[in-house]
Amino acid sequence: MSWLIDLYHWFVTTFPTLSMALGLFLFPLLPLIIAVALYVWWERKVIGWMHVRMGPNKIGPLGLAQTFADVFKLLLKEVIYPANANKKLFLLAPLWALIPAFAAWAVVPIGPHVAWSDANAGLLFLLAMTSMGVYGIILAGWASNSRYAMLGAMRAAAQTISYEIAMGFSLVSVLVLAGSLNLSDIVAAQAGSKGILDWFLVPLLPMAVIYFVSGVAETNRAPFDVAEGESEIVAGFHVEYSGAPFAVFFLTEYANMILISFLAPVLFLGGWLSPFPASWGFLGAPSWVWLAIKAFFFATAFVWFRASFPRYRYDQIMRLGWKVFIPITIVWVFVAGCMKYFGWVTTGA
């Protein structure tokens, strides 16, 4: 075994750039790609159960290989370019949407200060990365040289930007109570002897609801998927995409959904903290397992929404964002400041 360790140290010291690139791919990215594939399988299974259908059940045990088969199918398909499209921007747009979605995971912790980058301004970095994805949407619509794609891009971009404002204000209320932009410190601020009552979900319940609903809208998921209203604008900003570029947009959407599902418990549900008292032994001990369970609940909620609610009209979506969510978040930031100033909410163990 020692020779393997020596080989590892030699490779890292001899090829530092290559080893960093391989590390970036193998550790954070490869598990995320596999998680996206399994999430798609879970979505199809849950919707199948809710609609009294079988869902994937042929390829692999329980249909587990169905999503991977779909990935290979997309990768092997021909990439068709519109006749007058800007080819460079046409190919750049999916990457511009994908890279920020993956980069945001660099500051997401799975334990106390256990993250790829335990940045003190992690929350600010998250806001910056999630707001960059809208450029990929705009580029995809414009570079396709299609009025349907451009209309879908404008609608998706307006919707994304609108709900980013509400999401940003909900994060400000978390920042006010935690007193830190570091995500590990935010989780630590929710620790205490009262268990669930110490979590930010209790004083910031409206913000938690607005954050998750805004996350659903920002990822253009049902019932907010007007960018893909088949009866109106075909498939939205990526209507002209096929093969691997379309698969990249598909991967980006689901990576963002998983990101929202992990951030919701980190910000409002105590992250890896247990809902049970510490006296309960291993059930009361903090663990990444609790974070995974909470994230799984929110990820399933995305699927539940899709299977249950009809699509909103576009004017209803914009009215909800600008006339309901944003005013509530602005007021609750002030309420959170009062909670912190007058000591109505205690933070930390």
Side-chain angles (χ1 to χ4, degrees):
M1 193 64 181
S2 59
W3 68 269
L4 189 60
I5 297 175
D6 294 337
L7 179 63
Y8 168 78
H9 286 300
W10 172 83
F11 183 79
V12 170
T13 54
T14 308
F15 307 102
T17 305
L18 179 60
S19 60
M20 177 62 72
L22 289 174
L24 284 169
F25 176 74
L26 293 176
F27 291 103
L29 300 188
L30 191 59
L32 181 59
I33 293 171
I34 295 174
V36 167
L38 294 177
Y39 188 21
V40 175
W41 173 85
W42 177 246
E43 179 181 25
R44 292 170 174 174
K45 275 293 186 183
V46 170
I47 294 178
W49 293 333
M50 296 183 76
H51 291 174
V52 197
R53 294 184 285 107
M54 291 299 294
N57 65 341
K58 295 297 183 184
I59 304 179
L62 302 176
L64 278 169
Q66 177 65 58
T67 309
F68 297 96
D70 292 340
V71 170
F72 285 111
K73 176 186 72 175
L74 284 173
L75 294 178
L76 294 175
K77 276 191 171 183
E78 179 185 3
V79 179
I80 300 173
Y81 303 99
N84 296 316
N86 187 317
K87 188 174 180 180
K88 292 181 180 178
L89 293 181
F90 187 81
L91 293 177
L92 178 64
L95 294 177
W96 202 311
L98 177 70
I99 292 172
F102 275 29
W105 282 92
V107 296
V108 178
I110 59 172
H113 301 286
V114 180
W116 191 259
S117 175
D118 189 33
N120 290 328
L123 203 59
L124 193 61
F125 178 81
L126 274 175
L127 285 172
M129 288 298 103
T130 53
S131 64
M132 287 286 289
V134 71
Y135 292 103
I137 294 174
I138 293 291
L139 276 179
W142 185 83
S144 297
N145 193 35
S146 165
R147 64 191 63 185
Y148 291 109
M150 191 61 192
L151 179 60
M154 296 304 294
R155 286 171 59 159
Q159 176 179 320
T160 301
I161 293 171
S162 300
Y163 281 89
E164 272 181 1
I165 298 173
M167 182 181 287
F169 275 119
S170 66
L171 297 183
V172 169
S173 62
V174 173
L175 167 62
V176 169
L177 289 188
S180 174
L181 286 166
N182 184 283
L183 293 176
S184 295
D185 292 342
I186 289 173
V187 175
Q190 301 175 67
S193 58
K194 294 180 287 186
I196 295 177
L197 297 179
D198 284 308
W199 296 353
F200 287 160
L201 179 68
V202 177
L204 300 179
L205 179 59
M207 297 295 96
V209 173
I210 288 175
Y211 172 81
F212 186 68
V213 175
S214 297
V216 176
E218 191 174 347
T219 52
N220 289 309
R221 291 285 298 182
F224 302 100
D225 58 337
V226 293
E228 302 172 16
E230 294 89 348
S231 60
E232 305 169 30
I233 51 175
V234 201
F237 61 90
H238 49 58
V239 64
E240 301 291 349
Y241 282 85
S242 61
F246 176 80
V248 172
F249 274 122
F250 190 83
L251 177 63
T252 301
E253 178 181 321
Y254 280 83
N256 280 325
M257 290 164 60
I258 297 174
L259 178 66
I260 297 293
S261 301
F262 266 88
L263 288 177
V266 167
L267 297 170
F268 298 100
L269 270 72
W272 50 83
L273 300 176
S274 171
F276 303 110
S279 58
W280 285 36
F282 75 94
L283 283 177
S287 171
W288 65 269
V289 176
W290 289 116
L291 176 60
I293 292 172
K294 297 169 187 176
F296 180 76
F297 168 78
F298 283 104
T300 305
F302 271 100
V303 180
W304 173 37
F305 287 177
R306 177 180 176 180
S308 302
F309 300 115
R311 180 183 291 123
Y312 278 97
R313 292 199 318 264
Y314 191 71
D315 62 300
Q316 292 174 325
I317 292 176
M318 300 305 286
R319 182 171 65 247
L320 178 66
W322 285 99
K323 294 187 176 181
V324 179
F325 280 4
I326 292 177
I328 292 175
T329 53
I330 292 174
V331 170
W332 217 262
V333 168
F334 175 76
V335 172
C338 292
M339 291 178 182
K340 184 71 172 180
Y341 182 79
F342 293 107
W344 298 340
V345 175
T346 57
T347 57

